[in-house]
Amino acid sequence: MNFVRHIPDSNENRSHKENRIAHDLPILFLPFIPLVIIVPVLPADFSSRFITVFFVTLLFITGIYSMRGDRRRFLISCILALIATETFWVSVWPAASSLFLPAEFFLLLFLIHQTRYLVEEMVWSDGTIYDLFGMVTALIITGGIMLGTSLHLAGWMSRSTEYDPLTIHSSFAQALPEGILLLIRGGESPFGVSPLASVILMVGSVCGFLLLVLSAGKAAGYYVKNREQ
């Protein structure tokens, strides 16, 4: 608890937190790369469930670590991660596989919470162009995982896609890279057609466009700043 008490509040001087996310980017990418490259190609068997949930748990740990600069944000992320992690691990057992869907919902809340932090740091950070590139990449992967998770949940809620409890972990893993591709280039959802999925795709397309505009604006700002010096 002493560690939590020493985390600064959000209204403290921003200089204590400036560029912190840029320093944490290598840690954030630890779960990102396996989740979007390795996990989706694993066979749909019982052992792959543990690997999927392990890397999702690692995502929570690294995400919490990156948000340690703000006490309120840190505590909220801990609560969301604790609920989601427990539910994910219980869902590994076939008898409780239906709990994977509520776990996805809390993962989505956690990612939304983290994305707000990433966008805030990207807008206000005065780091280098390499920091900007890293934050944009982190936002693309995080946003893609959010989009894929949302579409996977939407397919279940609208019953436009039939999920087998034995393969729900593998279908979720396949949704993550699909979400990144949809965020970048758009397209149709592979998880069924429903009004909810259409709205999610529209929001994802808008967010992807805004991220592109914001990134271009920040890159142009760096170029002008360096040219004036």
Side-chain angles (χ1 to χ4, degrees):
M1 292 303 295
N2 289 332
F3 171 69
V4 176
R5 293 192 188 98
H6 284 87
I7 297 176
D9 290 319
S10 59
N11 59 353
E12 292 188 14
N13 193 308
R14 187 176 178 80
S15 61
H16 294 290
K17 302 183 293 178
E18 190 172 7
N19 294 336
R20 183 186 296 275
I21 192 65
H23 301 156
D24 294 338
L25 285 177
I27 297 175
L28 283 176
F29 284 120
L30 281 177
F32 282 162
I33 304 303
L35 277 174
V36 301
I37 296 179
I38 300 175
V39 172
V41 299
L42 294 175
D45 55 22
F46 184 72
S47 61
S48 65
R49 294 185 174 199
F50 288 92
I51 300 175
T52 301
V53 175
F54 170 78
F55 284 114
V56 172
T57 304
L58 187 60
L59 184 151
F60 286 124
I61 295 173
T62 57
I64 290 173
Y65 180 78
S66 69
M67 289 186 276
R68 69 192 183 282
D70 183 293
R71 185 184 304 166
R72 182 178 62 181
R73 185 180 287 124
F74 176 82
L75 290 175
I76 293 175
S77 63
C78 285
I79 294 171
L80 293 174
L82 180 62
I83 297 173
T85 302
E86 289 181 351
T87 313
F88 269 122
W89 280 106
V90 173
S91 73
V92 167
W93 308 106
S97 58
S98 60
L99 291 176
F100 189 85
L101 296 169
E104 278 188 274
F105 176 73
F106 284 102
L107 169 63
L108 187 60
L109 294 180
F110 180 87
L111 292 174
I112 292 172
H113 185 61
Q114 185 179 28
T115 300
R116 179 187 172 187
Y117 180 39
L118 287 169
V119 172
E120 179 183 332
E121 290 293 322
M122 178 180 172
V123 170
W124 297 107
S125 175
D126 293 327
T128 65
I129 189 68
Y130 301 104
D131 294 334
L132 173 64
F133 177 77
M135 283 187 281
V136 170
T137 305
L139 276 169
I140 290 174
I141 297 177
T142 304
I145 293 176
M146 286 172 54
L147 183 57
T149 303
S150 300
L151 291 172
H152 191 258
L153 280 171
W156 175 79
M157 292 174 62
S158 61
R159 298 296 192 273
S160 59
T161 302
E162 294 295 331
Y163 292 120
D164 185 349
L166 299 178
T167 60
I168 193 169
H169 293 72
S170 60
S171 64
F172 163 76
Q174 294 167 7
L176 304 185
E178 288 286 349
I180 295 175
L181 292 176
L182 290 172
L183 182 69
I184 296 173
R185 60 175 174 79
E188 296 182 357
S189 171
F191 304 102
V193 179
S194 67
L196 180 58
S198 299
V199 171
I200 292 173
L201 280 173
M202 180 186 67
V203 173
S205 299
V206 172
C207 290
F209 175 75
L210 291 176
L211 177 59
L212 176 64
V213 172
L214 180 60
S215 305
K218 288 288 291 186
Y222 283 124
Y223 174 77
V224 172
K225 181 179 179 181
N226 292 333
R227 191 173 181 180
E228 291 177 349
Q229 290 178 350

